[in-house]
Amino acid sequence: MTISRRNFLKVAGAAGGALLAGGASPARAAQSPQTSAGGVEFNGMLIDTTKCIGCRACEEACNEANKLPKPKVSFSTESVFEETRDTTTGAYTVVNRFPNGKNPDEPVFVRKQCMHCNQPACASACLTKAMEKTREAAVVYNSGFVTNVAAISSLIGRGDVVVCDKLNHASIVDGCRLSGAEFVRVPHNDVAAMDRALSAVPERAGRLVVVDAVFSMDGDLIDLPAVVEVCRKHQAWLMVDESHSFGVLGADGRGIESHFGLHESIPIKMSSLSKAIPSVGGFIAGATDLIAYLKHVSRAFVFSAALPPASTAAALAAIDLLEAEPQRVARLRARAQQLRAGLRRGGIEVRDDPTPIVPVMTGSDEAALKMTQLLFDAGIFASPVVSPAVPPKTSRLRITTTAAHSEGDVDQVVGGLVNAWTAVMSPPGAGSAAPDASPGPRRRQPWKAPAR
């Protein structure tokens, strides 16, 4: 059967089974990891994720409930084979426990200790790695913008419906518009509105929900657990743009699924290769059939040159480094928390989000541009975001930390921002009027870095 854009969502979803509406079968969904204050709770075991060393072992685990001995585990590119022992007869058998293998409804268990380094915390990293193997294939495009436009416009068309968060990236919006599908935008992070929009979709129409994992202008997160539930309820495909969450969220930097403990919940995963991964390009990861379809139908892939070898090598090296050194993610998180705390001490109100994107709201375009110039004169580069990139009266400075910044770097940025804010937003004798977007207290005196 020839699969066209019109029927791909329906045909591939029915054939793929586990891929439709987030993918996990009822048996595996019941066994999904749940996050808690102490780590990840899975099958009755609490796995400490605070000391994960990222051993990259990629292993399955013994079933704690049956008190089996540690299994011997080997991996191929397609399956995980686990040697287990019958507690009655003592006989050993080999079972394929890979989620997309011969036993797709077999639950995935967590090993109590890593077979390579015997550190209990490694179990969380190994579980994540195993779950990520369910992304069977990927296709790479020339940029993140092109990736969204190409994928969305290839997957849906006339007669289909695409539901989009109002604050999604411009590339998602353009892809939805170019697709020819009915384009429904819902208020930001309003899952109830998304539910109503999907309820109104005709029965025979294809359904696609597209959201950002982290919204680039505000730094806040999509409510992934609620969105996944709504997509499963309405049998809708879910596509998540992880450009600002890949390499940032989760103890291992694997993104929003890792952050919420909802592995295998996103059937169409997208990310650019120019954010945490310092290269160019973008990719879609998913099932083999999905990626094969995009490679043959997506015009931006078929009729564009491949990425330069140097850019590809840089992206691969960065991903290897992210896997080998997950402590970089913890360092990034610490710098972002330091930045937010410093700005609050200086009288600048900022959101409390688990991302390194920190918007400093100025309200007017003029104020954002003046603060940018003052920061530049102080040796600090900051990006102003003014209308029409954002709605009028919501202009801002978009400040972003990285794992390469030191504590001293962040202190310098905080000091420069507070001084610029004092000069532009609340100069002496100017009154206490605040910008519409972020009212809050003002600090009148120049900020000084704390003594160390």
Side-chain angles (χ1 to χ4, degrees):
M1 177 180 179
T2 301
I3 298 179
S4 65
R5 179 174 64 182
R6 288 292 306 278
N7 61 17
F8 177 81
L9 294 180
K10 296 183 283 292
V11 174
L19 296 170
L20 186 60
S25 66
R28 287 208 305 281
Q31 299 289 337
S32 297
Q34 300 295 322
T35 57
S36 68
V40 175
E41 184 177 354
F42 190 90
N43 223 32
M45 293 186 293
L46 185 63
I47 307 301
D48 181 12
T49 59
T50 61
K51 300 178 182 179
C52 176
I53 64 172
C55 67
R56 302 168 64 188
C58 270
E59 54 185 328
E60 295 285 331
C62 58
N63 184 348
E64 173 77 0
N66 293 332
K67 301 188 182 302
L68 296 176
K70 291 182 183 179
K72 297 178 181 179
V73 180
S74 62
F75 270 77
S76 70
T77 57
E78 298 180 352
S79 301
V80 178
F81 296 98
E82 176 177 326
E83 184 178 309
T84 59
R85 182 173 64 89
D86 188 311
T87 55
T88 303
T89 64
Y92 281 86
T93 58
V94 176
V95 179
N96 177 0
R97 292 195 184 278
F98 186 63
N100 278 356
K102 296 178 181 178
N103 298 319
D105 292 327
E106 195 71 27
V108 179
F109 300 110
V110 178
R111 178 184 290 280
K112 293 181 68 177
Q113 288 186 321
C114 170
M115 65 183 294
H116 289 268
C117 66
N118 292 323
Q119 301 242 0
C122 276
S124 62
C126 297
L127 171 66
T128 301
K129 186 77 172 183
M131 289 296 189
E132 287 296 322
K133 283 183 174 290
T134 59
R135 302 303 192 285
E136 300 168 353
V139 56
V140 177
Y141 294 88
N142 298 87
S143 74
F145 197 104
V146 169
T147 302
N148 273 330
V149 171
I152 296 170
S153 61
S154 297
L155 289 171
I156 54 175
R158 288 188 298 273
D160 298 326
V161 177
V162 56
V163 179
C164 177
D165 189 287
K166 187 176 182 179
L167 296 188
N168 276 349
H169 192 266
S171 59
I172 296 176
V173 174
D174 285 1
C176 293
R177 287 173 172 168
L178 289 171
S179 69
E182 181 182 349
F183 181 26
V184 180
R185 301 181 76 176
V186 297
H188 178 50
N189 244 336
D190 189 337
V191 181
M194 187 179 294
D195 187 15
R196 291 192 297 271
L198 289 172
S199 297
V201 175
E203 182 179 354
R204 298 181 63 85
R207 302 167 176 85
L208 176 65
V209 174
V210 189
V211 294
D212 275 317
V214 173
F215 292 87
S216 59
M217 290 297 122
D218 295 311
D220 60 329
L221 274 59
I222 190 68
D223 186 357
L224 183 65
V227 171
V228 167
E229 185 64 29
V230 167
C231 288
R232 288 176 176 167
K233 173 183 175 182
H234 296 283
Q235 294 291 284
W237 280 69
L238 173 62
M239 175 177 170
V240 177
D241 183 335
E242 294 233 50
S243 295
H244 293 279
S245 59
F246 182 46
V248 173
L249 293 182
D252 49 12
R254 289 187 178 275
I256 195 164
E257 284 181 309
S258 177
H259 176 79
F260 284 108
L262 291 174
H263 304 282
E264 263 193 305
S265 62
I266 303 173
I268 307 173
K269 176 174 284 195
M270 177 273 171
S271 178
S272 75
L273 294 171
S274 57
K275 303 298 185 296
I277 305 301
S279 184
V280 295
F283 68 86
I284 296 288
T288 301
D289 289 345
L290 167 70
I291 302 306
Y293 170 83
L294 289 175
K295 287 181 177 180
H296 286 83
V297 173
S298 175
R299 296 166 67 88
F301 179 82
V302 175
F303 298 106
S304 293
L307 289 179
S311 299
T312 305
L316 290 172
I319 293 172
D320 288 342
L321 188 64
L322 180 63
E323 289 184 326
E325 301 181 11
Q327 66 270 19
R328 291 173 179 264
V329 180
R331 187 160 63 244
L332 172 64
R333 189 174 295 113
R335 295 294 175 269
Q337 292 171 349
Q338 178 190 352
L339 175 63
R340 293 177 188 275
L343 292 176
R344 291 193 189 100
R345 286 195 302 270
I348 301 176
E349 190 67 27
V350 293
R351 296 174 56 94
D352 187 19
D353 295 304
T355 71
I357 299 174
V358 183
V360 175
M361 309 299 294
T362 63
S364 71
D365 295 354
E366 182 182 8
L369 295 172
K370 284 183 177 180
M371 285 187 63
T372 300
Q373 185 61 53
L374 290 175
L375 289 170
F376 186 81
D377 293 342
I380 300 169
F381 177 77
S383 298
V385 183
V386 299
S387 58
V390 292
K393 298 184 180 181
T394 65
S395 297
R396 66 202 68 186
L397 271 62
R398 184 172 173 271
I399 311 299
T400 305
T401 58
T402 75
H405 285 135
S406 66
E407 291 185 11
D409 293 334
V410 175
D411 284 341
Q412 180 184 355
V413 171
V414 169
L417 278 167
V418 172
N419 289 338
W421 179 274
T422 301
V424 175
M425 303 302 297
S426 56
S432 57
D436 294 341
S438 181
R442 303 288 184 267
R443 181 176 178 119
R444 299 290 183 179
Q445 299 300 319
W447 185 92
K448 295 182 179 180
R452 292 192 178 279

